[in-house]
Amino acid sequence: MATFLYRIGRFSYQRRWLVVGIWAFILVALGASAATMSGKMSNDFSIPGTEAQQAIDDLSERFPQANAGGATARIVFGAPEGKTVADPAVQAAIAQVVQGASKAPEVARVMDPFTAKAISPDGKYAFAQVSYTVQGQELTDADREALFETAQSARDAGLAVEFGGDALRAGPETGIVEVLGVVVAALVLVITLGSLIAAGLPLLTALAGVGVGVAGMLLVANVADINANSLILALMLGVAVGIDYALFIVSRYRHDALIRKDGAEAAGRAVGTAGSAVVFAGLTVIIALAALTVVGIPMLGSMGLSAAGAVAVAVLVALTLLPALLGIAGRRVTTSKLFGRKAVDPEANTGPVRMGERWARLVVKLRWPVLILALAGLGVVAIPAADLRLGLPDDGMAALDTTQRKAYDMLSAGFGPGFNAPLTLVVDTNGKDAQQAMGQVGQAVQSIKDVVYVSPLGVSPDGGTALLAVIPSHGPNDVATADLVHAIRAQAGQIKAGTGADIAVTGPTALNIDISQTLDDAMVPYLLIVVGLAFLLLMLVFRSILVPLKATLGFLLSVAATFGAVVAVFQWGWLSEVFGVHETGPIMSMLPVLLIGILFGLAMDYQVFLVTRMREEFVHGEPAQAAVISGFRHGARVVTAAAIIMVSVFGGFVFSGEPLIQSIGFALAFGVFVDAFIVRMTLVPAVMSLLNRAAWWLPRWLDRLMPNVDVEGEKLALAEDEALPVREPEPAGASR
């Protein structure tokens, strides 16, 4: 591996303009194509194989007029003070809004509240249900604005009119706050490397990689379903890992260039050694992200594959474009000055003892107290995770001043919380009279606990399918609502025996419940795949059993602490104003599996970056204890800078208006902080010191079976004349 990458790095450095030209062509070609032929992103939450999704698919064939897969909105009316919605003037105002809404773009139909009897018991509130012909992500801002404008006449008449529903949820967008994370990353690079030229290269390569990755995603969207959140996640990860990978190689290049005084040789060796770590670090991230496809939710699969593609591009850019740019920059990478301070080798073992080495010596000296204190601290932070509740965002979690939240509160006040969690009951009449079947099924379902009432929604033209609205007594994210869905499904057999009709429960609320259940069922196999494959990969890298095991256990500690922090902020409301959390509530049901996948890959990044240097020093002859300190000294500054960069980039997304992106940004920023500074830079040297030589133990039979990927560059060190081509790798199974 090191030999192969050495040649790539040396070639890219020597043929710098050719390599830069190829990447420039790829970027321009993909960018131009994406600008003219980009496909549409989706916000689809479909989950094939579940009852709710199957019912929606069946309705699309048997009862297309129901627009089961289309977006929905609710227009909620509040009567003026001292009046009710039964007042003739109020009725006339509501009728005018309903008529106007039925003519809005993409609207299929509007259910009049008086015809549907959607009037609150006290007569103060009413609502009209709006059904669209397209999904929410296909609606434009102009379409939504046209719906909002229909309310003006009723408001002029003194009514309170607010809007809710999934039709109002626009796709996620990025803004200036997210860009600030990149600005912070740039400052960290300048401070770490002490050179504007050296600091600019990781930023340039990261942006180039993200440009290629995002343009590719936009083109793929023409032939595949790409979720809108995939673009944000790919951007988030692409920038973060792109900067980190380039920083690691640039730092190693500066170290070798100052020693060897030969740019091409330094670039080859930097890519051969640090680049090997980048390859395996990238592979762990890609494995963790690509494994999201096993969860069974297309949205997560789309996000995982898109982000994995962005990471793969970042690795390729770091291995090829970066050494080419190092060749163009030349000696300015190591000799430029900033504010009168000469740029020095961040890895050099000269001058006063650096803070990283002092920290490593302290941790090694006090390894037991440090180990106990770090574990206790992580345990305390993880305590709130025991109260973790999962759900999906609804209008009740929107900001108090939004029309969605006002509509949600008006419905809850007038009708009860269950009106914000309607269930759709699909009745297959099996040849019976539709009206009779609806009545019998409705009566049977009405008797189930926590059902407020059941009302008809419509019958298909052929009379074979009927729809009923079931209103529960609790809100959409309440455990009792999920229990009600399961109870109705459990009694489907009894209902068919008594009525002759088949039933299925669907609708947004049931769909969200099925998503949560699917995620719960997929968690164990997902963990087995991710941890199992990554464990094998780390065994190849470190040629050890205990080091990968330690890395995995450390990751579990990081995840537990991160879940605790997420619950404290997003569910309990601690520091919610600081992080821009409008309303507390259940944690996004997709966050745990998504966080585990992404954070596992990123945690292994720091594990590989830090411990490969320890192994390199050990393989090259240092005693195990000294190798821990020496490897930490070389890698600490780079890992610290890389962690700060990732925290900054992810932290910028905490202030996104999209709940999923906001929670992912916070969880990743906090998780990276804990994993980098507590687990990798504190627990790792302490545990490695305790293990001593046993850390690198591997059974001989397994050592013979495993290929020698030579991440630490041992084959490069065997070359006697560094100016000559590197020797061929030793045969598999040769003694080390």
Side-chain angles (χ1 to χ4, degrees):
M1 173 66 75
T3 304
F4 175 70
L5 293 179
Y6 165 87
R7 290 169 178 155
I8 290 178
R10 191 178 179 94
F11 173 85
S12 299
Y13 186 96
Q14 293 174 329
R15 303 289 187 271
R16 63 201 70 157
W17 290 111
L18 173 63
V19 174
V20 170
I22 292 173
W23 276 108
F25 173 78
I26 293 173
L27 181 59
V28 172
L30 287 177
S33 300
T36 56
M37 299 183 294
S38 63
K40 285 187 176 181
M41 301 287 179
S42 76
N43 280 319
D44 188 18
F45 277 85
S46 65
I47 40 175
T50 61
E51 179 175 316
Q53 187 63 50
Q54 186 62 49
I56 291 175
D57 295 340
D58 290 344
L59 283 174
S60 298
E61 297 179 4
R62 301 190 327 223
F63 195 180
Q65 297 84 351
N67 298 109
T72 59
R74 283 183 172 183
I75 310 176
V76 185
F77 303 94
E81 187 69 28
K83 295 183 179 181
T84 67
V85 294
D87 185 278
V90 175
Q91 285 194 43
I94 293 176
Q96 186 175 354
V97 173
V98 171
Q99 184 179 8
S102 64
K103 299 177 181 178
E106 306 295 348
V107 171
R109 67 181 184 280
V110 181
M111 293 187 65
D112 181 270
F114 300 101
T115 302
K117 298 181 180 180
I119 311 295
S120 65
D122 59 8
K124 293 182 179 180
Y125 301 97
F127 70 88
Q129 186 84 2
V130 182
S131 298
Y132 282 88
T133 59
V134 297
Q135 294 184 343
Q137 74 275 4
E138 298 180 59
L139 295 173
T140 65
D141 291 339
D143 295 336
R144 298 183 184 91
E145 191 60 36
L147 181 66
F148 295 154
E149 289 175 356
T150 62
Q152 191 56 50
S153 60
R155 287 171 176 160
D156 292 341
L159 279 74
V161 185
E162 303 296 344
F163 298 84
D166 64 320
L168 274 63
R169 297 173 193 159
E173 298 178 355
T174 56
I176 186 63
V177 177
E178 290 88 338
V179 176
L180 290 178
V182 179
V183 174
V184 174
L187 293 176
V188 173
L189 286 171
V190 171
I191 294 172
T192 302
L193 298 175
S195 164
L196 289 175
I197 299 294
L201 293 181
L203 286 173
L204 181 60
T205 54
L207 293 177
V210 166
V212 170
V214 170
M217 283 177 56
L218 292 175
L219 289 176
V220 172
N222 284 296
V223 295
D225 185 22
I226 305 293
N227 189 270
N229 289 302
S230 302
L231 189 64
I232 306 298
L233 183 61
L235 177 64
M236 187 190 304
L237 281 178
V239 171
V241 302
I243 293 175
D244 274 12
Y245 295 165
L247 171 61
F248 197 54
I249 293 176
V250 167
S251 179
R252 189 58 182 265
Y253 168 81
R254 283 155 58 92
H255 170 71
D256 286 338
L258 289 174
I259 294 174
R260 305 179 190 284
K261 309 300 182 183
D262 182 341
E265 183 68 16
R269 289 180 176 271
V271 175
T273 53
S276 296
V278 165
V279 168
F280 282 96
L283 282 175
T284 58
V285 179
I286 291 170
I287 287 173
L289 291 170
L292 287 171
T293 55
V294 307
V295 174
I297 297 180
M299 173 186 172
L300 283 179
S302 169
M303 294 176 70
L305 291 177
S306 300
V311 173
V313 172
V315 172
L316 291 175
V317 167
L319 298 178
T320 56
L321 179 59
L322 178 59
L325 293 176
L326 289 172
I328 293 174
R331 301 180 66 180
R332 287 171 293 179
V333 175
T334 56
T335 60
S336 58
K337 297 180 180 179
L338 183 63
F339 307 125
R341 177 168 66 91
K342 183 178 180 180
V344 297
D345 173 24
E347 297 185 345
N349 186 22
T350 59
V353 179
R354 294 183 177 276
M355 183 177 296
E357 183 176 351
R358 291 199 299 268
W359 175 252
R361 292 186 181 279
L362 177 64
V363 170
V364 169
K365 181 180 179 180
L366 304 175
R367 46 186 176 268
W368 278 114
V370 166
L371 184 63
I372 294 172
L373 185 62
L375 291 176
L378 291 174
V380 170
V381 177
I383 289 175
D387 190 39
L388 178 67
R389 290 189 298 114
L390 300 178
L392 285 172
D394 55 46
D395 291 343
M397 297 174 65
L400 291 172
D401 59 348
T402 61
T403 186
Q404 296 99 313
R405 177 58 185 272
K406 292 176 182 177
Y408 184 96
D409 291 342
M410 289 170 66
L411 281 175
S412 296
F415 299 89
F419 273 76
N420 288 297
L423 304 173
T424 301
L425 202 64
V426 182
V427 180
D428 186 345
T429 61
N430 291 323
K432 293 189 61 175
D433 177 73
Q435 296 298 329
Q436 181 183 0
M438 288 173 65
Q440 292 176 338
V441 171
Q443 186 176 5
V445 173
Q446 183 72 63
S447 64
I448 299 176
K449 180 185 176 182
D450 287 330
V451 172
V452 176
Y453 78 87
V454 182
S455 65
L457 291 177
V459 179
S460 64
D462 62 4
T465 304
L467 298 180
L468 294 172
V470 179
I471 305 300
S473 59
H474 297 85
N477 283 313
D478 197 294
V479 175
T481 303
D483 292 340
L484 174 60
V485 171
H486 297 318
I488 295 174
R489 289 171 174 172
Q491 295 190 29
Q494 299 178 24
I495 292 174
K496 182 176 183 179
T499 65
D502 290 303
I503 65 169
V505 184
T506 188
T509 301
L511 198 62
N512 292 347
I513 291 170
D514 285 349
I515 287 176
S516 297
Q517 185 63 52
T518 301
L519 288 167
D520 287 342
D521 295 341
M523 184 66 70
V524 173
Y526 175 70
L527 277 174
L528 290 176
I529 291 174
V530 171
V531 174
L533 290 177
F535 187 87
L536 293 176
L537 192 65
L538 291 176
M539 282 181 62
L540 281 176
V541 175
F542 299 121
R543 305 195 71 79
S544 164
I545 292 179
L546 295 180
V547 171
L549 180 61
K550 170 188 62 64
T552 304
L553 294 177
F555 158 73
L556 295 177
L557 290 172
S558 299
V559 167
T562 301
F563 281 161
V566 169
V567 169
V569 174
F570 289 87
Q571 190 173 306
W572 292 359
W574 293 5
L575 302 176
S576 57
E577 294 183 359
V578 174
F579 296 106
V581 179
H582 302 303
E583 289 295 318
T584 60
I587 305 304
M588 291 285 295
S589 58
M590 285 173 289
L591 180 62
V593 66
L594 197 59
L595 174 63
I596 287 172
I598 298 173
L599 189 57
F600 184 84
L602 298 180
M604 294 307 104
D605 274 5
Y606 299 120
Q607 176 74 15
V608 171
F609 289 170
L610 200 59
V611 182
T612 50
R613 194 57 188 264
M614 295 179 185
R615 175 167 176 78
E616 182 178 340
E617 299 299 327
F618 177 74
V619 168
H620 292 164
E622 281 205 54
Q625 293 283 359
V628 171
I629 297 174
S630 180
F632 192 93
R633 179 184 66 243
H634 288 301
R637 188 170 184 177
V638 175
V639 170
T640 299
I644 294 174
I645 288 170
M646 278 211 178
V647 170
S648 302
V649 173
F650 294 146
F653 290 85
V654 173
F655 303 96
S656 167
E658 180 69 20
L660 177 60
I661 299 300
Q662 187 179 36
S663 57
I664 290 175
F666 174 84
L668 289 179
F670 186 88
V672 167
F673 177 84
V674 168
D675 194 85
F677 294 106
I678 306 300
V679 175
R680 306 304 157 189
M681 299 190 70
T682 303
L683 289 178
V684 164
V687 174
M688 293 291 289
S689 176
L690 287 171
L691 293 175
N692 205 351
R693 292 182 61 87
W696 310 114
W697 173 78
L698 186 69
R700 293 194 177 189
W701 64 269
L702 186 56
D703 186 44
R704 289 192 296 269
L705 289 175
M706 290 171 51
N708 185 2
V709 294
D710 189 26
V711 175
E712 63 278 354
E714 187 178 4
K715 304 299 184 296
L716 294 178
L718 293 176
E720 295 180 0
D721 189 345
E722 295 169 356
L724 296 177
V726 180
R727 296 178 181 175
E728 292 298 319
E730 296 176 1
S735 60
R736 299 179 57 83

